[in-house]
Amino acid sequence: MKSLSHPAVQIGLAAIGGILFGLLVGEWAANLKFVGDMFIRLIQMAIVPLVMTSVIVATGSMTGTGTGRIAFRTFKWMLGFSFVAAVLAWALSVLIRPGAGIVFGEAVDPSLEGSVDEALGWQETLLNFVSTNIFDAMSTATMVPIIVFSLLFGVALRTQINKTGDTRVLTFIDQLQQIVLTMIRLVMYIAPLGVFCLLAPLAGDVGFAVVTTALKYLGTTLLGVLILFALFVVVVTARTRLNPWKLPGKLAEQTAIAVTTTSSAVTFPTVLRNTVEKIGVSQKVANFTLSVGLTMGSYGAVLNYMIVVMFLAQSGNIDLTIGQIVLGMGLAILLNMGTVTVPGGFPVIAMFLAASLDLPVQAIGLMIAVDWFTGIFRTFLNVNGDTFVAMLVANADDEIDHDVYNGTKTVTAEDIDLEEYRDVMARADQAD
């Protein structure tokens, strides 16, 4: 019975109940839609203050540490694989069209319509990244100008802190962020009810297609994870010349922990130990690369976020422009790289992406319902992707011991102070 208290279990049961109820009662289930809409609006209400405070705190807290050759190679590989993940997600979504099975006939929320169908020139698109009135952008939840303002504010705040040593403004904004997060946690207590009341009308309207659409969404994500994992193995094998058939045994322990806990933070100590003791990466490279990878190496998250963008567009029968697709990829990568940190879990991230690209939100409840499964996929790729990047970085500086990898030599990893990694571990779990 204790397992029933887990939020993911409650949401899963509510999702199944909502779908069955909607299939049973048909169109009458539309009477419950307002409850689901209320749940969505409660999350939307917190998006703007959450994004602003998160970006300002993340940027204002930067200290310029982590420079040098290892850092450059780490960031190069992480950005490269993140870009590949975003492009792969777009390609698979165009091919499979996971959101096309539940196209909505009614008009989308007027507040989200905006300029979805307008094909702007690139100059005007870039000009619209900056608002002449930040309060107007906040009132309409126009996210890109809000992000640009928050980034500039954070940089200016960091400059002022370096000049005066006064961190009171940063502390104040950090406290605001924590308060908004607490609001979201309170809202998430009613997530099972919200998901039930979102999926019941959806199932009553489109019928069994709601199930097949959820399976297509999961299938698209899983296929993307497997393709990206295979690409990692190919690149690592080509660069290091190590035997790829030894990898499954070396990754088995951390993979088991990752998929059963869906937490990169919980898996981190095991990943660090195995990367040194089983793979042969030097302690120096492993410490830096894997700690950075906790928040910047979430390749499964990038893949999933871009699929979410395409899923929402397809469910609203919206043809995204090239500019919007590029912006979606950029936001997915920024969310991964930590420049735009949006804590609070998948519902907040999905709402953020919808608001940023003026996409309909009706199908978000379906993705929330199956997010436990996508969390498994994301964490599997996030955790093992970090090990692969550590191998690539170490190989460039001859910091990977082939004898350890081949099992003819043993080494012991240093004990780590988990408290030192507490903040990055907390942020990492938001991407899983």
Side-chain angles (χ1 to χ4, degrees):
M1 294 299 292
K2 186 178 181 180
S3 62
L4 294 178
S5 64
H6 194 286
V9 175
Q10 295 176 355
I11 290 174
L13 292 174
I16 294 171
I19 292 172
L20 293 176
F21 184 80
L23 293 174
L24 181 65
V25 304
E27 294 183 0
W28 185 90
N31 291 302
L32 300 178
K33 186 174 182 296
F34 81 98
V35 179
D37 290 343
M38 182 76 72
F39 170 65
I40 292 293
R41 290 192 177 203
L42 285 170
I43 297 178
Q44 286 177 315
M45 178 176 64
I47 290 293
V48 170
L50 178 60
V51 170
M52 291 192 72
T53 55
S54 297
V55 173
I56 291 172
V57 169
T59 311
S61 299
M62 291 181 180
T63 58
T65 58
T67 58
R69 197 167 55 210
I70 293 177
F72 172 76
R73 290 191 174 121
T74 299
F75 298 142
K76 177 188 71 173
W77 283 112
M78 287 182 178
L79 272 172
F81 281 118
S82 295
F83 176 75
V84 171
V87 174
L88 176 63
W90 168 77
L92 289 176
S93 298
V94 170
L95 180 65
I96 300 174
R97 295 187 60 81
I102 52 170
V103 174
F104 294 96
E106 76 263 24
V108 302
D109 187 336
S111 67
L112 295 175
E113 282 182 324
S115 56
V116 169
D117 296 320
E118 296 178 12
L120 302 177
W122 68 269
Q123 298 99 329
E124 190 173 352
T125 298
L126 291 178
L127 191 62
N128 287 338
F129 283 7
V130 181
S131 174
T132 58
N133 185 340
I134 190 59
F135 295 103
D136 179 60
M138 292 168 63
S139 68
T140 57
T142 310
M143 299 308 301
V144 176
I146 291 173
I147 292 171
V148 171
F149 174 86
S150 301
L151 285 170
L152 289 173
F153 190 98
V155 171
L157 178 58
R158 182 71 252 173
T159 302
Q160 184 68 12
I161 290 172
N162 291 340
K163 186 185 301 182
T164 66
D166 189 346
T167 60
R168 286 180 295 178
V169 174
L170 181 61
T171 301
F172 172 71
I173 297 175
D174 181 56
Q175 288 299 309
L176 283 180
Q177 180 193 32
Q178 298 307 314
I179 291 169
V180 176
L181 282 173
T182 301
M183 289 174 55
I184 292 174
R185 292 188 188 101
L186 292 174
V187 172
M188 291 307 293
Y189 279 120
I190 64 167
L193 176 62
V195 168
F196 181 95
C197 294
L198 284 169
L199 292 186
L202 190 58
D205 180 31
V206 303
F208 196 73
V210 71
V211 177
T212 57
T213 300
L215 292 176
K216 284 174 65 179
Y217 167 67
L218 288 174
T220 304
T221 305
L222 177 59
L223 180 60
V225 165
L226 294 177
I227 292 174
L228 202 54
F229 182 84
L231 178 63
F232 267 118
V233 174
V234 170
V235 173
V236 166
T237 301
R239 301 283 293 201
T240 66
R241 303 298 180 183
L242 294 169
N243 183 358
W245 300 110
K246 293 180 180 291
L247 280 172
K250 297 178 182 297
L251 302 177
E253 182 185 13
Q254 63 194 50
T255 297
I257 297 173
V259 300
T260 53
T261 65
T262 64
S263 171
S264 293
V266 172
T267 315
F268 176 68
T270 303
V271 174
L272 184 57
R273 187 185 73 250
N274 287 348
T275 302
V276 174
E277 296 181 355
K278 295 183 179 180
I279 302 294
V281 173
S282 70
Q283 190 78 54
K284 175 180 67 175
V285 172
N287 284 352
F288 179 82
T289 305
L290 295 178
S291 62
V292 172
L294 265 176
T295 52
M296 299 178 68
S298 303
Y299 318 101
V302 175
L303 181 89
N304 186 216
Y305 298 162
M306 191 59 202
I307 291 174
V308 167
V309 169
M310 299 301 294
F311 186 95
L312 293 177
Q314 291 165 2
S315 72
N317 200 24
I318 294 171
D319 292 324
L320 295 175
T321 65
I322 295 297
Q324 289 172 313
I325 292 171
V326 172
L327 177 58
M329 291 181 181
L331 291 174
I333 293 172
L334 286 172
L335 283 164
N336 166 47
M337 298 304 289
T339 305
V340 183
T341 304
V342 184
F346 178 80
V348 176
I349 290 172
M351 216 71 68
F352 164 77
L353 291 170
S356 298
L357 293 161
D358 292 334
L359 300 175
V361 299
Q362 290 96 325
I364 286 179
L366 181 61
M367 291 186 289
I368 294 174
V370 296
D371 188 56
W372 182 77
F373 296 100
T374 52
I376 292 175
F377 304 154
R378 290 192 300 262
T379 310
F380 164 78
L381 191 59
N382 294 347
V383 165
N384 290 314
D386 288 345
T387 296
F388 290 137
V389 168
M391 294 174 70
L392 291 167
V393 173
N395 181 71
D397 278 337
D398 198 24
E399 293 277 353
I400 182 168
D401 193 322
H402 288 223
D403 290 332
V404 173
Y405 184 87
N406 292 322
T408 59
K409 177 182 176 182
T410 59
V411 295
T412 303
E414 299 173 0
D415 291 331
I416 60 170
D417 181 6
L418 291 179
E419 186 63 24
E420 180 183 344
Y421 297 96
R422 179 172 56 85
D423 291 339
V424 290
M425 289 170 72
R427 292 197 297 272
D429 269 344
Q430 303 302 331
D432 292 332

